[in-house]
C-alpha cells in the first residue's frame, strides 16, 4: 500500500484495515521509502521500547540511500538530535536536556499560558465565528515555546512556516530549503545566546553541563530544532483535534461543561481517541525482528501507528467512542520507552488551559459546515487539521 491522500485524510480507517490484515504490513511512504507498518497496540508498545530497533539517523540515512539506489549523502544537521539517536548518545543528550527542561519549568508557565490564551480568546470574541486553528491552536503553542526558548517575536512567523514545510509531504527540495533556513537561523540565535546569556531555555541549554559535559554547537542547534518543532506542533494538533472531537460528540461536550474537573481526563481521552502524532518517527531493525507471524528483516524500516494502536479494541473497549470518563492509562500518543516525549507535560498543560478556557468563554460553540469537508494536513508524522471553523455566541 502507498501511503498518500487516503492515509492523510482517513488514517484511522487505513490503520483498522491494515490491523485486520496482520501485525505488520509492507507500505510505501509518500516519498518512496519502503517500510513495515505496525498498527496493533501490544506490538506497537513493545516495538517502541525494543532495543533491536534503532533510531540512529546516520545509519538510517545510509539504508535509505541504499534502498533508493543512490549515493548516500551526509545526514542533515537538524536530524542529529536525541530523537534520532540510540544509547549511549541518547542517554547523554536526554540527561542534559532534562536538567533544563524540568517539571518546575513547565508548572511555572501556567499563569503566562493562561494570559496568552485569554488574549487570543479576546480577539476571537469580536466576531461570531473564527478558525480555531488560526486564532488559538496555532498561535498559543508557538508563542509559549518561543518565549520559553527565547526566540524573538519577530521571527516566529518564519519559524512556524519552516516547521510546517519540514513536517509536510512537500517536495524534497522545499523541505531541504526550509531546513537550510531554519538551521542557519538557529545557529545564529544560539551563537548570540552563548555570547550574551538571557533568561530562557536555549541559554540554559547552551551552558548546562553534567560532570563537565556540554552540548556541542551542532548538538545544541539540533536540540533547539527538536524542542521548537515538537514543542509546538504536538500541542497545535492536540488542541485542534480535541475541540473537533468534543464538537462531534455533544454528549461528551455537555458532560465536560457540567463538570470541568473532568478536563485533565478529557485531554487524556482526546490523546487516545485522536492524538496529534500519526506515525512515530522512523526506526530500522538491527537484526531480524518477529512481529507476530511476520519477520521484519535486518535493515528493514519500521513505522508505528500511534493512532492505530490507540484505537485497538483489544486494548481499549469500544475504541471508536469518545468517552471523557474512560480509564485512558497506557495510551501511546506521546510514545513509549526511552523516546517518550520530553514535552508531554507542557502539551497537556496547554491543551487543558486552551480547551477549558475556550469552552468557558463561549457557551454556544458549534462547528461551521460539514465535518466531512474538513481537511487534514498532508503528513505521515503529525495528525492535525488545516482549518477548524466554528461559530459561537
Amino acid at each position: 500500500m502507498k501511503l498518500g491522500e487516503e492515509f492523510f485524510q482517513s488514517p484511522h480507517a487505513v490503520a483498522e484495515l491494515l490491523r485486520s490484515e496482520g501485525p505488520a504490513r509492507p507500505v510505501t511512504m509518500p516519498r518512496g521509502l519502503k517500510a513495515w507498518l505496525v498498527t496493533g497496540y501490544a506490538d506497537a508498545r513493545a516495538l517502541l521500547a525494543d532495543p533491536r530497533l534503532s533510531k540512529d539517523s546516520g545509519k538510517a540515512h545510509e539504508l535509505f540511500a541504499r534502498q533508493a539506489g543512490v549515493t548516500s549523502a551526509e545526514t542533515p544537521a537538524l536530524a542529529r538530535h536525541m530523537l534520532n539517536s540510540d544509547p549511549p548518545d541518547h542517554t547523554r543528550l536526554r540527561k542534559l536536556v532534562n536538567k533544563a527542561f524540568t517539571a518546575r519549568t513547565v508548572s511555572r508557565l501556567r499563569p503566562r499560558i493562561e494570559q496568552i490564551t485569554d488574549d487570543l480568546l479576546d480577539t476571537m470574541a469580536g466576531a461570531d465565528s473564527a478558525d480555531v486553528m488560526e486564532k488559538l491552536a496555532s498561535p498559543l503553542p508557538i508563542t509559549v515555546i518561543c518565549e520559553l526558548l527565547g526566540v524573538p517575536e519577530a521571527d516566529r512567523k518564519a519559524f512556524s512556516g519552516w516547521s510546517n514545510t519540514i513536517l509536510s509531504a512537500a517536495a524534497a527540495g522545499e523541505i531541504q530549503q526550509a531546513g537550510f533556513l531554519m538551521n542557519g537561523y538557529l545557529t545564529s540565535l544560539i551563537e548570540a545566546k552563548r555570547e550574551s546569556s538571557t533568561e530562557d531555555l536555549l541559554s540554559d541549554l547552551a551552558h548546562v553541563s553534567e560532570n563537565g559535559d556540554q552540548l556541542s554547537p551542532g548538538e545544541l542547534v539540533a536540540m533547539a530544532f527538536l524542542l521548537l518543532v515538537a514543542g509546538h506542533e504536538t500541542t497545535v494538533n492536540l488542541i485542534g483535534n480535541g475541540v473537533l472531537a468534543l464538537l462531534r460528540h455533544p454528549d461528551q461536550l455537555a458532560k465536560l461543561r457540567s463538570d470541568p474537573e473532568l478536563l485533565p481526563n478529557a485531554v487524556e481521552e482526546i490523546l487516545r481517541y485522536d492524538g496529534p502524532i500519526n506515525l512515530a518517527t522512523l526506526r530500522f531493525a538491527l537484526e531480524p525482528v518477529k512481529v507476530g507471524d511476520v519477520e521484519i528483516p535486518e535493515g528493514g524500516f519500521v513505522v508505528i501507528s500511534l493512532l492505530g494502536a490507540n484505537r485497538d479494541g483489544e486494548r481499549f473497549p469500544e475504541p471508536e467512542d469518545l468517552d471523557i470518563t474512560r480509564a485512558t492509562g497506557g495510551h501511546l500518543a506521546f510514545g513509549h520507552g526511552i523516546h517518550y516525549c520530553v514535552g508531554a507535560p507542557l502539551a497537556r498543560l496547554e491543551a487543558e488551559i486552551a480547551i477549558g478556557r475556550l469552552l468557558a468563554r463561549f457557551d454556544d460553540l458549534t462547528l461551521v459546515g460539514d465535518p466531512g469537508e474538513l481537511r487534514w494536513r498532508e503528513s505521515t508524522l503529525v495528525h492535525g487539521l488545516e482549518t477548524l471553523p466554528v461559530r459561537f455566541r
Side-chain angles (χ1 to χ4, degrees), residues 80-110:
R80 300 179 203 140
H81 49 67
M82 66 180 181
L83 190 57
N84 289 338
S85 64
D86 300 327
D89 291 338
H90 174 271
T91 307
R92 168 182 164 267
L93 294 171
R94 183 92 181 204
K95 184 179 293 186
L96 285 168
V97 75
N98 281 347
K99 288 177 68 69
F101 202 90
T102 64
R104 178 179 293 182
T105 301
V106 171
S107 65
R108 69 173 183 241
L109 293 174
R110 176 179 284 275

Side-chain angles (χ1 to χ4, degrees), residues 246 256 262-271 322-325:
L246 290 168
L256 182 57
L262 288 172
L263 188 55
N265 201 76
V267 169
E268 295 306 307
E269 171 65 349
I270 289 163
L271 283 162
L322 182 75
D323 179 2
I324 64 171
T325 63

Side-chain angles (χ1 to χ4, degrees), residues 307-318:
L307 295 181
N310 286 333
R311 292 269 188 111
D312 186 344
E314 292 189 10
R315 175 60 180 83
F316 298 103
E318 300 178 327

Side-chain angles (χ1 to χ4, degrees), residues 261-340:
E261 295 297 317
L262 288 172
L263 188 55
N265 201 76
V267 169
E268 295 306 307
E269 171 65 349
I270 289 163
L271 283 162
R272 181 209 65 82
Y273 176 79
D274 206 19
I277 300 299
N278 198 337
L279 302 180
T281 48
L282 200 64
R283 290 159 165 80
F284 63 90
L286 295 172
E287 60 185 73
V289 175
K290 290 276 285 188
V291 183
D293 59 355
V294 176
E295 182 173 276
I296 297 172
E298 179 181 347
F301 287 105
V302 180
V303 284
I304 299 167
S305 173
L306 303 184
L307 295 181
N310 286 333
R311 292 269 188 111
D312 186 344
E314 292 189 10
R315 175 60 180 83
F316 298 103
E318 300 178 327
E320 303 299 320
D321 293 344
L322 182 75
D323 179 2
I324 64 171
T325 63
R326 182 195 299 268
T328 57
H331 72 70
L332 302 178
F334 289 122
H336 175 65
I338 64 171
H339 293 289
Y340 183 83

Side-chain angles (χ1 to χ4, degrees), residues 34-116:
K34 297 185 184 303
W36 295 86
L37 177 59
V38 176
T39 52
Y41 179 88
D43 291 325
R45 190 174 190 276
L47 291 172
L48 286 168
D50 194 327
R52 296 175 299 170
L53 295 185
S54 172
K55 301 198 73 184
D56 185 306
S57 58
K59 293 178 182 177
H61 206 63
E62 292 174 7
L63 285 171
F64 178 64
R66 191 182 310 163
Q67 187 186 107
V70 298
T71 302
S72 177
E74 185 178 359
T75 306
L78 292 180
R80 300 179 203 140
H81 49 67
M82 66 180 181
L83 190 57
N84 289 338
S85 64
D86 300 327
D89 291 338
H90 174 271
T91 307
R92 168 182 164 267
L93 294 171
R94 183 92 181 204
K95 184 179 293 186
L96 285 168
V97 75
N98 281 347
K99 288 177 68 69
F101 202 90
T102 64
R104 178 179 293 182
T105 301
V106 171
S107 65
R108 69 173 183 241
L109 293 174
R110 176 179 284 275
R112 178 58 181 148
I113 296 172
E114 291 174 340
Q115 179 186 356
I116 297 168

Side-chain angles (χ1 to χ4, degrees), residues 167-322:
L167 297 184
S168 74
E174 293 180 49
I175 294 173
Q176 290 171 357
Q177 177 65 8
F180 174 79
L181 293 171
M182 185 177 284
N183 184 67
Y185 172 76
L186 290 175
T187 299
S188 298
L189 180 63
I190 288 166
E191 286 176 355
K193 292 184 180 299
R194 281 190 181 277
E195 293 176 3
S196 179
S197 181
T198 50
E199 292 187 6
D200 54 64
L201 185 53
L202 269 188
S203 293
D204 291 345
L205 288 172
H207 297 92
V208 72
S209 66
E210 175 76 15
N211 298 325
D213 182 26
Q214 283 188 298
L215 293 167
S216 70
E219 289 172 336
L220 191 52
V221 170
M223 183 71 77
F225 165 74
L226 174 63
L227 294 176
L228 278 165
V229 172
H232 91 277
E233 283 286 357
T234 300
T235 312
V236 167
N237 300 315
L238 173 54
I239 295 170
N241 296 1
V243 173
L244 175 62
L246 290 168
L247 291 178
R248 296 187 71 175
H249 295 81
D251 61 322
Q252 299 300 301
L253 177 57
K255 187 179 293 187
L256 182 57
R257 285 189 183 281
S258 66
D259 185 4
E261 295 297 317
L262 288 172
L263 188 55
N265 201 76
V267 169
E268 295 306 307
E269 171 65 349
I270 289 163
L271 283 162
R272 181 209 65 82
Y273 176 79
D274 206 19
I277 300 299
N278 198 337
L279 302 180
T281 48
L282 200 64
R283 290 159 165 80
F284 63 90
L286 295 172
E287 60 185 73
V289 175
K290 290 276 285 188
V291 183
D293 59 355
V294 176
E295 182 173 276
I296 297 172
E298 179 181 347
F301 287 105
V302 180
V303 284
I304 299 167
S305 173
L306 303 184
L307 295 181
N310 286 333
R311 292 269 188 111
D312 186 344
E314 292 189 10
R315 175 60 180 83
F316 298 103
E318 300 178 327
E320 303 299 320
D321 293 344
L322 182 75

